[in-house]
Amino acid sequence: MLDKTQIAQRIAKEVQNGQYINLGIGIPTLVANYIPDHLEVVLQSENGLLGIGPFPTEDKIDPDLINAGKQTITMVKGSALFSSAESFAMIRGGHVHLTILGAMEVSENGDIANWKIPGKMVKGMGGAMDLVASAENIIVAMQHCSKDGQSKLLKECSLPITGIRCVKKIVTDLAVLDILPEGGFKLLERAPGVSVEEIRDKTEGRLVIHGEIPEMDFG
């Protein structure tokens, strides 16, 4: 199975030149460390920063420079700082090409639940609902199963929904999967050492398998 950094490394392969990209809290923030050098992309944070760089080394930490997850970050040449109101105007105006989010559940129709667990205190959904409603493309980074071994790729989400029919691709610690237009998880790649049978056993929703499924390539 993949660790969190490997999930981020694999997702970085989905990034395309010229994109404006929002990275959600958790695993998605790690993607900033793996953007290929030959690509020119702009990373956006909804607290009001355009032009996020890799995480800082110890000698480059600036406590006043943080992303939406309160992590210290760096800025690249040409970065801009502005109010969160302007940041959300950018998001809601459809100017973010790709959003990479974490999730607690994803349904086979592309619904996502990623902001609330009933009975637990939360401060709100943050920018997730705006992002999933506005981005051109949404990729989810998540663990395939919960800590108790239950699948998080479901027929229908059981937790409060963040967005409906919005997820396009999922990268888990076991697999890379597309959401089909008619519904269902199409298996594209499997993690090194992980079998198709294990992925099938740990996916509650409809899993679609066509031909031989290759192992992930991080090159």
Side-chain angles (χ1 to χ4, degrees), residues 22-24 44-49 68 83-85 87-88 91 126-128 131:
N22 182 283
L23 302 178
Q44 190 251 17
S45 183
E46 62 259 35
N47 59 322
L49 172 57
S83 73
S84 59
S87 181
F88 276 93
I91 293 168
L131 287 163

Side-chain angles (χ1 to χ4, degrees), residues 53-67:
F55 283 114
T57 55
E58 287 292 330
D59 60 320
K60 298 285 180 64
I61 292 176
D62 181 347
D64 292 325
L65 196 58
I66 60 171
N67 61 19

Side-chain angles (χ1 to χ4, degrees), residues 3-4 16 25 27 30 33 37 45 75-76 112 139 154 159 172 182 199 214:
D3 60 25
K4 293 179 180 181
Q16 297 178 19
I25 296 170
I27 297 174
L30 300 174
N33 292 331
D37 292 336
S45 183
M75 296 171 63
V76 299
I112 180 174
I139 299 176
L154 310 173
L159 296 174
T172 77
E182 68 274 18
I199 297 167

Side-chain angles (χ1 to χ4, degrees), residues 34-40:
Y34 299 103
I35 303 294
D37 292 336
H38 67 279
L39 296 183
E40 292 188 9

